[in-house]
């Protein structure tokens, strides 16, 4: 990553652009981290300095598009309203440029003279971050920043915080004094961070700065600043600003959307047609399409008219506008993506019928799946090859990731773009589906409904409490089918991490649950060494899957935190879990789609007082 240039040369009279000066590198991160950890708008610490990752605006070349390869995932791109995705620039030595970053926060302190002020007031040389009065002592970026739920970010108002008892000076910020920051060393709490000023006001600590109303009580309002976007005007904002630690996860949370590559979009043909797709949509007859293809792909016999016609028909069938009005009003575009994947996972896509370019291979096991009948598991599917594209749509600040709802989405660019940053990962997995009739019979139990209703009530209350506008709060997705499948996926991942040698963080769940779906996919879509080696597919063979299910359920019957865990009436963030804790049902955050909420292992195995609530009670009784 490279910081922005101090100034850029204008075009010469001849109109040719003068090459930009080479910029120093400030660090490197993996490509996947530019989507999940250090994406646009996030803060990144490099050595003793702190920067914010710039937006993707083409006008300012914040991202080097020459080094950002294009990737395609037609279904996901259509839902997100873009034409394609781009991989972040590589951090390899061969990379000529990189991703721009900007210095933030701008307030710094000197550990030697204890001065606290804007970085420019230290008068550092270009490209350095030092105190010139202390023999080039490295400056320390502010530990605290100010953010709001609309995604705005600003420096912490130290001056107003210190001068809060003298409102006249605090309002103008012109007392003429020099502020300083020191640490008493008595403890590691905020009380030990002392702010003072030479103007004579009593020194204060940072204690209480993290109260929800701390900045509002000072008369501080959010000024709508977006430092990750160059020349972005301040937006009007009525949200309450909050104090955050610079390194807190609440400062930046990605909004990721993903999709699996499934037929007919997974054989590589769609990538070849990407530049011609808009033109092809304009034709309605086979003859017109054939004439266009002959001109566009002269000498290339790999692009057939039949295949293109199939893609056009598939796109039209996937268009929400073509669905029934009643269904289109209740199914979100992302849920529609899941339904398409669910249907394809159920139908399969055999390797022997496909070419080498096929990115989705899904086959039933060879052995008899009858051994899974006692578990209510229908024939599993072995996903021997899959590709997933995860795109960074936007990001949020302050919003609690455990709430299961998204806050205000902050934009990645000042002007609209036709692409989004994304990463593609390839792996393998096992698709498990439960018998829907048996599920419906079990869900009709009064005891089951009562447990799920309690979780739904707690989750709804949490969503309302944390929402900015209570009128826009979505209802909790908690339902017996979702909680059961979610918890089963968790205990099975934990079992495979013990039996198959995969770390739990290398496995992910992908849930397919609503009135028409009842399954989940456990897969190894990861870009590191724990990727596709065939180990997960081997776990999907009926005999081995039955053993793993029985062992996982037997482990779930007891927890080291029992009897407290199984007897609790609510647990987890906001009480959105019941019998679930880190000793029995929770996973690493990267493995779970719902941030470890909406879990209850009692729905799997029952409780000592009421075993009937367990869907698999009969398996454990034998």
């Amino acid at each position: 990553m490279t910081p922005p240039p101090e100034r850029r040369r204008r075009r010469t009279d001849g109109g040719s652009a003068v090459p930009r000066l080479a910029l120093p590198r400030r660090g490197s991160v993996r490509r996947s981290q530019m989507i999940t950890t250090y994406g646009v708008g996030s803060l990144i610490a490099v050595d003793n300095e702190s920067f914010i990752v710039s937006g993707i605006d083409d006008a300012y070349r914040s991202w080097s598009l020459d080094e950002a390869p294009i990737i395609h995932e037609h279904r996901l791109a259509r839902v997100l309203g873009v034409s394609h995705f781009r991989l972040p620039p590589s951090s390899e030595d061969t990379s000529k440029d990189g991703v721009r970053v900007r210095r933030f926060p701008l307030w710094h302190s000197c550990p030697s003279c204890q001065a606290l002020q804007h970085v420019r007031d230290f008068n550092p040389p270009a490209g350095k971050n030092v105190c010139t009065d202390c023999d080039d002592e490295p400056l320390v970026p502010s530990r605290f920043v100010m953010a709001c739920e609309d995604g705005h970010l600003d420096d912490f108002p130290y001056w107003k915080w210190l001068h809060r008892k003298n409102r006249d000076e605090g309002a103008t910020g012109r007392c003429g004094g020099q502020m300083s920051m020191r640490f008493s060393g008595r403890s590691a709490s905020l009380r030990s961070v002392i702010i003072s000023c030479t103007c004579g006001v009593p020194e204060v600590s940072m204690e209480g700065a993290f109260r929800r109303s701390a900045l509002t009580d000072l008369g501080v309002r959010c000024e709508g600043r977006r430092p990750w976007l160059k020349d972005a005007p301040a937006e009007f904002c009525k949200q309450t600003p909050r104090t955050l630690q610079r390194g807190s996860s609440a400062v930046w949370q990605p909004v990721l959307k993903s999709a699996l590559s499934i037929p007919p979009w997974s054989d590589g043909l769609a990538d070849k047609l990407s530049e011609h797709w808009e033109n092809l949509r304009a034709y309605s007859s086979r003859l017109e399409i054939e004439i266009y293809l002959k001109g566009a792909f002269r000498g290339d016999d790999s692009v057939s008219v039949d295949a293109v016609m199939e893609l056009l028909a598939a796109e039209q069938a996937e268009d929400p506008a073509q669905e029934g009005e009643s269904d289109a009003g209740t199914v979100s575009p992302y849920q529609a993506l899941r339904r398409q994947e669910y249907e394809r996972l159920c139908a399969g896509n055999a390797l022997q019928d496909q070419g080498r370019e096929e990115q989705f291979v899904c086959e039933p096991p060879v052995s008899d799946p009858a051994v899974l009948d006692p578990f209510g598991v229908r024939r599993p599917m072995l996903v021997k090859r899959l590709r997933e594209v995860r795109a960074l749509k936007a990001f949020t600040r302050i919003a609690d990731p455990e709430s299961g709802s998204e806050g205000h989405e902050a934009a990645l660019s000042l002007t609209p773009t036709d692409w989004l940053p994304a990463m593609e990962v390839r792996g393998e997995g096992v698709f498990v589906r439960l018998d829907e009739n048996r599920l419906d019979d079990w869900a009709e139990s009064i005891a089951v409904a009562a447990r799920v209703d309690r979780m739904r009530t707690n989750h709804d209350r949490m969503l309302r409490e944390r929402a900015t506008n209570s009128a826009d709060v979505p209802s909790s997705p908690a339902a017996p089918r979702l909680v059961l499948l979610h918890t089963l996926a968790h205990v099975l991942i934990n079992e495979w991490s013990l039996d198959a040698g995969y770390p739990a963080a290398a496995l992910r769940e992908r849930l397919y649950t609503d009135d028409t779906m009842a399954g989940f996919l456990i897969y190894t879509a990861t870009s590191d060494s724990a990727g596709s080696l065939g180990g997960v597919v081997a776990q999907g063979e009926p005999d081995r899957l039955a053993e793993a299910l029985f062992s996982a359920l037997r482990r779930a019957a007891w927890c080291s935190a029992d009897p407290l865990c199984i007897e609790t009436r609510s647990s987890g963030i906001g009480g959105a879990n019941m019998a679930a804790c880190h000793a029995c049902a929770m996973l690493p955050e990267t493995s779970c789609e719902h941030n470890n909420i909406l879990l209850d292992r009692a729905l799997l195995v029952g409780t000592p007082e009421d075993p009937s609530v367990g869907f698999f009670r009969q398996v454990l009784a034998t």
Side-chain angles (χ1 to χ4, degrees), residues 18-31:
V18 178
R20 293 182 299 175
L21 297 176
L23 300 176
R25 291 180 179 271
R26 294 293 187 178
S28 63
V29 298
R30 291 181 297 173
R31 267 181 166 167

Side-chain angles (χ1 to χ4, degrees), residues 416-530:
T417 62
D418 64 345
W419 64 277
L420 287 174
M423 59 181 290
E424 59 177 351
V425 288
R426 302 173 188 271
E428 59 180 356
V430 175
F431 175 65
V432 179
R433 182 166 50 131
L434 297 185
D435 186 281
E436 295 188 33
N437 294 329
R438 183 171 168 179
L439 267 176
D440 293 338
D441 294 340
W442 165 81
E444 292 177 356
S445 169
I446 297 177
V448 170
R451 293 184 70 88
V452 177
D453 284 343
R454 191 176 300 121
M455 298 170 64
R456 185 188 304 109
T457 300
N458 293 339
H459 193 206
D460 281 332
R461 182 179 63 251
M462 180 178 65
L463 294 177
R464 289 193 301 270
E465 290 174 351
R466 296 179 175 181
T468 303
N469 185 358
S470 58
D472 297 333
V473 178
S475 59
S476 171
R481 185 176 293 196
L482 169 64
V483 178
L484 174 69
L485 288 166
H486 189 201
T487 311
L488 180 60
H490 276 226
V491 299
L492 192 55
I493 287 176
N494 281 328
E495 180 66 23
W496 283 353
S497 69
L498 297 173
D499 184 58
Y502 283 87
L507 301 175
R508 293 172 64 93
E509 67 176 1
R510 193 168 182 87
L511 301 177
Y512 299 91
T513 61
D514 62 12
D515 295 338
T516 63
M517 302 185 294
F520 58 84
L521 173 68
I522 297 178
Y523 62 108
T524 63
T526 177
S527 57
D528 61 18
S529 59

Side-chain angles (χ1 to χ4, degrees), residues 103 105-111 113-124 129-134 139-142 155-156 158-159 176-181 195-196 198:
R103 191 178 301 282
L106 298 179
W107 276 71
H108 288 59
S109 61
C110 175
C113 65
Q114 299 181 346
L116 173 66
Q117 58 191 1
H118 196 284
V119 65
R120 65 169 176 264
D121 295 330
F122 286 100
N123 224 5
N129 193 39
V130 296
C131 178
T132 54
D133 295 334
C134 300
L139 299 176
V140 178
S142 170
D155 282 279
F156 180 80
Y158 286 103
W159 203 287
Q178 171 65 55
M179 287 197 300
S180 63
M181 173 185 288
I195 312 296
S196 60
T198 57

